[in-house]
Amino acid sequence: MARREMLTAYMFVAPAILMIAAFVLWPAVITFHTSLHRTTLTDPGPGEYCGVENYRAVMSDPEFRRSAINTIVFTVLVVPAQTVLALLLAQWTNGPGWASRSLRLAVLIPTMISLTVLSVLWKLLYEPVSATGSGLFNGILTSLHLPPQPFLTSPRQAMPAIVVMSIWQGVGFQMMIFLCALQQIPAQLREAALLDGAGRWRRFCHVTLPGIAPTAAFVVMMTTIFALKLFVQPFLMTRGGPQGSTLSIVQFIYETTFFRRDLGLACAAGAVFFVGVSTIAVVLRRMLRAAECLR
Amino acid sequence: MTRSGHTVRALTALAALFVGVTFLIPVIWMFAASLKPESAIHRDVGAVRSFVPAPPTLENYRGAFHRGDVGITLVNTLIVVTVITLGGLLVNGPAAFAFARMRFRGCELLFLLIVTTIIIPLELIVIPLFMTVRTTRGLVEIIGERPWTLAALSIPFMAKAFNIFLLRQYFLALPRSLEEAAFMDGVGWWGVYWRVALPNAKTAITTVILLDFIVHWNDFLWPLVICQAANTRTVQLGLGNFFTQPPISWGAIMAYAVLATIPMMLILGVGQKRIAQSLVTTGIRE
């Protein structure tokens, strides 16, 4: 290729490369660098080198352990339930008719609303009974003569409450992706199975499932990573409480930076988090690939 | 179709309707509460009336504007999102085109490097990115607090590996014959990009714009870290702040929430299907 064209090519890619280097790669490098130094928020640069001290501190920090367990519990509860629900809804609403179309739209609406808005909304819905009045859910429970629940104010119910809200919010997006995948399965396959006398269940297992397997693998990966980054819902609904029962890893990093002002510790937590998420993503991918090969 | 077949279908339709309405209860309540006086919201809770905006009032919206400053946060968000999407297109488009069509020294390595950054989440780099961006804080003296914050909210997110990846996939799929004809006419690479590649990649560009719009309209973490003055907040951050500020009015909070939602609903009503489709196709091909 001529020199001038080479120069043009570099001009095409230079702005993007420079900006990604400055705003993604450089901060990523700083994360690891800062995690090896004693640094506070007010320091202009990284402080004195301290080896893996921050990593040791973060791994034995009871709050960090708590946040890691909470985040994993959230992910383990949300991802399978949401995926199965989305698949069922996609299967149910995949077809013509006003009823299917309305249900599809209804399930999609929460995904069109931001997590911030929905967290604020559900905080009010979950409000316990008090002198000023109660939230909608407790109002409904009361009018059904059922005992009112503390929901977000109880350490035992807060995380399940956030899980329910998150599934409700995310299921539509997953359903939409499954619907696209279902529509790409060739109709002949289904007809052939029908002609062979395969029942509903067998058609689902042998035609539908294999047809959407690659999409399902992709969706499970995406949802898992998204769930591990849990922050907005607990931050707005419970601030991580009560008694740390909904503290997430990202909130731990945020608070370590701005309240404890310990940048070294926050960056070590960030690095642990990144390695954790990447490992889970790689393992999950391997497992899903293996599952695909098995069929 | 037999009579029992008809019954089954009618029942399924009814079930679908029931599930759909139940699913939307929170959203219906949000809209209803935003239009009701505060006392009526609390009085009606649990009754069917809690989903009916009666007696209707716009008082809550007035509260969201006067006490919550929802106006300025909406304007801020709109500015930020526009700068990110349009600036992003200017930065990511040419890069994607070069990676799709031009051979230059190091192109494979550079592309690999870019694609690798897709796996770096904002949550990992948010603190160091904050430290990096903070080094330009001196500019506040020159350009002022609000312009500085809006720039800090938008400029770091213009270049995006995923968008480059997605656009490149589309450019790769374009027939080369189109470009060759343009080259025959003596148009250079810039000309080919602007006049041939871009106009033919409208679907991809719309997808990228929609995705950017959604992500950054909804972002909460970065504004939380970077915004200091009240008049620099984005609409999500403004809402997160407004709903803890006494005197607490559920009606005004819900009005704020509705105002933060409507622009997204408009955009997504148009684009949701397209986004899902392109995620499916690029996701599997990856």
Side-chain angles (χ1 to χ4, degrees):
Chain A
M1 182 181 257
R3 247 191 114 154
R4 250 194 72 198
E5 286 181 21
M6 194 108 119
L7 212 65
T8 321
Y10 284 127
M11 273 167 52
F12 271 54
V13 296
I17 301 246
L18 290 178
M19 289 179 93
I20 287 179
F23 299 125
V24 183
L25 285 173
W26 178 241
V29 171
I30 301 191
T31 304
F32 290 101
H33 184 78
T34 311
S35 72
L36 298 171
H37 295 76
R38 282 199 194 105
T39 317
T40 65
L41 187 61
T42 35
D43 291 346
E48 107 194 65
Y49 178 77
C50 65
V52 293
E53 191 189 284
N54 285 322
Y55 286 92
R56 218 172 280 145
V58 83
M59 292 312 269
S60 58
D61 189 303
E63 272 197 44
F64 179 75
R65 289 184 173 199
R66 191 76 203 257
S67 73
I69 292 172
N70 288 340
T71 307
I72 290 169
V73 165
F74 174 83
T75 309
V76 169
L77 289 177
V78 166
V79 176
Q82 188 175 302
T83 309
V84 170
L85 210 60
L87 190 53
L88 287 177
L89 282 168
Q91 185 78 358
W92 188 11
T93 61
N94 182 26
W98 60 270
S100 301
R101 229 177 310 136
S102 332
L103 178 56
R104 209 149 57 202
L105 183 69
V107 177
L108 273 174
I109 281 177
T111 68
M112 299 186 196
I113 307 177
S114 80
L115 267 179
T116 310
V117 166
L118 294 176
S119 302
V120 168
L121 169 62
W122 279 66
K123 167 93 162 86
L124 300 190
L125 298 178
Y126 276 138
E127 209 59 24
V129 179
S130 73
T132 47
S134 70
L136 181 70
F137 293 152
N138 270 322
I140 293 175
L141 285 178
T142 314
S143 48
L144 293 174
H145 301 291
L146 292 166
Q149 299 297 319
F151 295 123
L152 296 171
T153 53
S154 134
R156 289 187 54 193
Q157 292 187 5
M159 185 54 97
I162 290 175
V163 165
V164 167
M165 175 264 173
S166 304
I167 293 175
W168 173 82
Q169 194 268 341
V171 73
F173 180 71
Q174 264 189 328
M175 178 194 74
M176 194 75 206
I177 294 184
F178 278 135
L179 272 170
C180 286
L182 284 177
Q183 279 154 15
Q184 281 168 8
I185 298 176
Q188 299 105 296
L189 275 182
R190 221 176 292 230
E191 282 155 21
L194 251 171
L195 283 180
D196 287 346
R200 200 173 254 251
W201 178 244
R202 293 198 52 182
R203 263 179 293 154
F204 180 75
C205 288
H206 295 282
V207 180
T208 312
L209 267 190
I212 59 167
T215 312
F218 168 67
V219 161
V220 168
M221 274 271 292
M222 263 183 58
T223 333
T224 307
I225 294 174
F226 199 72
L228 289 169
K229 299 198 286 192
L230 172 71
F231 174 66
V232 174
Q233 302 96 303
F235 183 77
L236 287 170
M237 291 162 86
T238 59
R239 285 288 142 131
Q243 295 161 35
S245 58
T246 57
L247 182 72
S248 71
I249 297 180
V250 176
Q251 190 180 337
F252 174 85
I253 297 173
Y254 172 79
E255 287 183 346
T256 308
T257 307
F258 292 101
F259 299 138
R260 287 209 228 168
R261 302 179 152 254
D262 190 340
L263 274 184
L265 196 67
C267 285
V272 171
F273 173 60
F274 177 61
V275 171
V277 172
S278 315
T279 314
I280 290 174
V282 169
V283 170
L284 207 60
R285 209 191 162 105
R286 288 265 160 82
M287 278 165 56
L288 293 167
R289 279 263 166 82
E292 247 177 76
C293 293
L294 274 181
R295 67 155 205 270
Chain B
M1 180 159 292
T2 61
R3 173 163 284 203
S4 73
H6 273 299
T7 323
V8 167
R9 275 181 62 175
L11 281 178
T12 329
L14 265 177
L17 205 65
F18 176 75
V19 173
V21 171
T22 315
F23 203 82
L24 282 184
I25 279 180
V27 180
I28 299 169
W29 185 82
M30 172 173 84
F31 280 95
S34 78
L35 292 165
K36 285 162 82 160
E38 190 71 7
S39 56
I41 298 176
H42 292 292
R43 187 196 61 213
D44 293 348
V45 128
V48 180
R49 271 196 318 240
S50 52
F51 305 108
V52 186
T57 169
L58 286 176
E59 197 50 45
N60 296 323
Y61 287 85
R62 214 166 293 144
F65 272 101
H66 283 157
R67 290 199 302 113
D69 260 342
V70 66
I72 196 151
T73 61
L74 277 172
V75 172
N76 286 344
T77 317
L78 218 57
I79 294 174
V80 167
V81 171
T82 311
V83 171
I84 293 179
T85 48
L86 296 186
L89 213 55
L90 283 177
V91 172
N92 298 326
F97 180 72
F99 283 124
R101 281 291 187 262
M102 300 158 94
R103 292 276 147 265
F104 50 96
R105 200 168 298 149
C107 64
E108 271 132 23
L109 192 74
L110 282 176
F111 186 64
L112 193 72
L113 191 75
I114 286 190
V115 171
T116 318
T117 65
I118 292 181
I119 62 161
I120 301 179
L122 172 67
E123 285 78 2
L124 167 76
I125 56 167
V126 65
I127 300 308
L129 184 59
F130 167 72
M131 288 151 66
T132 312
V133 170
R134 195 177 54 167
T135 57
T136 66
R137 218 28 230 167
L139 285 173
V140 169
E141 310 272 302
I142 305 163
I143 60 173
E145 179 79 30
R146 187 155 171 251
W148 181 84
T149 312
L150 294 184
L153 284 170
S154 46
I155 292 172
F157 303 101
M158 291 190 334
K160 202 164 290 155
F162 181 75
N163 291 354
I164 295 176
F165 175 75
L166 206 132
L167 287 171
R168 177 178 168 266
Q169 298 285 82
Y170 274 82
F171 287 140
L172 279 176
L174 289 183
R176 271 174 192 271
S177 50
L178 284 175
E179 293 157 37
E180 272 151 20
F183 274 125
M184 290 295 189
D185 293 342
V187 182
W189 280 105
W190 269 114
V192 171
Y193 171 67
W194 278 109
R195 283 184 232 158
V196 183
L198 262 195
N200 280 299
K202 277 199 191 110
T203 350
I205 290 166
T206 327
T207 309
V208 164
I209 289 182
L210 283 171
L211 279 174
D212 264 353
F213 189 96
I214 297 163
V215 168
H216 295 287
W217 183 272
N218 290 337
D219 190 22
F220 184 81
L221 183 59
W222 182 245
L224 177 70
V225 166
I226 212 80
C227 295
Q228 294 184 356
N231 69 343
T232 62
R233 292 192 185 117
T234 62
V235 69
Q236 311 294 341
L237 187 63
L239 174 63
N241 200 67
F242 181 62
F243 108 112
T244 54
Q245 250 179 10
I248 285 176
S249 149
W250 285 20
I253 295 169
M254 289 299 98
Y256 203 127
V258 167
L259 289 170
T261 300
I262 286 171
M264 271 290 288
M265 286 235 165
L266 292 179
I267 293 276
L268 277 173
V270 189
Q272 184 121 17
K273 189 141 196 199
R274 168 168 291 170
I275 294 164
Q277 247 150 10
S278 55
L279 281 181
V280 170
T281 42
T282 48
I284 308 171
R285 235 190 277 148
E286 126 197 58

